[in-house]
Amino acid sequence: ALVAEGRQSPMAGAASPPLMAKRSNSYEHLVFPEWQSRLLMTSSLNFVLASAYAAHLGQTTLSLFLIVAGVNSLNYWRSPGASWRRDADLTAAIGGLLYCLYAGFWLADAHCLVAFASLLSGLFSFRRSWNLSLGHNEVWAFWHAGAHALSGMAAVTLARGDVASKGTDLTPPHNIVAECSVAAILITLVADLLRPEVPSEVPSKGR
């Protein structure tokens, strides 16, 4: 059970919610024990390593998106909490995701299948992490770390698929795998936005 400032976590049947020093502006319900911060800092290195690999293969644009995402992720998880660092992390992550989805249209064969399977699995893991966090289940951190790893795998596959070779053509080619993947993401996003929020239970005083 989590312990903060001498009080037990709600999951342990505490009389009142734990006092937590570190929160994020988008995850106000979350608490961040030190082991979670270390775990997610370590998993954030997937982006840095993928960036170095992409640069080695001459995938400059992909490498830049990845290093920006990696640095911002490391910067946030070293001390998670409500600040500009959280906003920068989210912005960099969304920017990197959009570029990877866009560049993925130029992939073919096995590279395309592996890249989009990794991306979709990573997004599922992020979503699963969020849902678990709503119940204050510490396992959310492992799902989040797994999402980092899957995203890194997708980025490496993009680099190996030589997405930089598309040249100056800005219009994505027809790619049924990419199109179905984007459609699945949009449908899931809309469904989640339309789903009514169920507030997580917070133990009341004296309970």
Side-chain angles (χ1 to χ4, degrees):
L2 291 177
V3 178
E5 297 188 8
R7 300 189 187 179
Q8 292 181 325
S9 72
M11 296 181 67
S16 59
L19 298 178
M20 291 297 173
K22 295 180 179 179
R23 299 177 181 271
S24 79
N25 53 356
S26 297
Y27 297 85
E28 193 63 25
H29 62 286
L30 290 182
V31 295
F32 302 101
E34 186 176 356
W35 69 265
Q36 290 182 345
S37 178
R38 290 181 177 179
L39 171 66
L40 294 169
M41 277 191 70
T42 300
S43 63
S44 294
L45 291 174
N46 280 285
F47 299 112
V48 178
L49 295 175
S51 174
Y53 185 70
H56 173 69
L57 295 183
Q59 308 291 307
T60 306
T61 303
L62 176 61
S63 178
L64 288 174
F65 272 102
L66 290 172
I67 194 62
V68 169
V71 168
N72 278 285
S73 185
L74 284 166
N75 188 41
Y76 174 69
W77 287 113
R78 68 180 174 81
S79 181
S83 71
W84 64 269
R85 290 180 294 103
R86 179 61 192 170
D87 297 329
D89 180 31
L90 287 173
T91 301
I94 292 172
L97 171 63
L98 292 177
Y99 175 77
C100 287
L101 288 173
Y102 171 70
F105 275 83
W106 279 267
L107 291 175
D109 305 322
H111 287 123
C112 182
L113 293 175
V114 173
F116 279 99
S118 299
L119 275 175
L120 291 177
S121 297
L123 290 173
F124 169 81
S125 296
F126 277 124
R127 184 173 179 270
R128 179 63 175 160
S129 169
W130 169 256
N131 287 332
L132 285 170
S133 74
L134 293 175
H136 300 277
N137 188 332
E138 290 184 340
V139 176
W140 75 265
F142 294 106
W143 281 91
H144 200 101
H148 283 170
L150 288 165
S151 299
M153 183 185 299
V156 167
T157 308
L158 283 166
R160 290 187 62 83
D162 193 21
V163 292
S165 64
K166 68 184 181 65
T168 57
D169 185 10
L170 299 179
T171 303
H174 174 64
N175 185 325
I176 187 63
V177 174
E179 290 163 1
C180 288
S181 297
V182 171
I185 292 170
L186 292 176
I187 290 171
T188 303
L189 179 61
V190 170
D192 283 347
L193 290 174
L194 294 177
R195 183 176 61 185
E197 290 188 14
V198 178
S200 57
E201 183 180 352
V202 178
S204 60
K205 212 168 187 180
R207 182 176 164 183

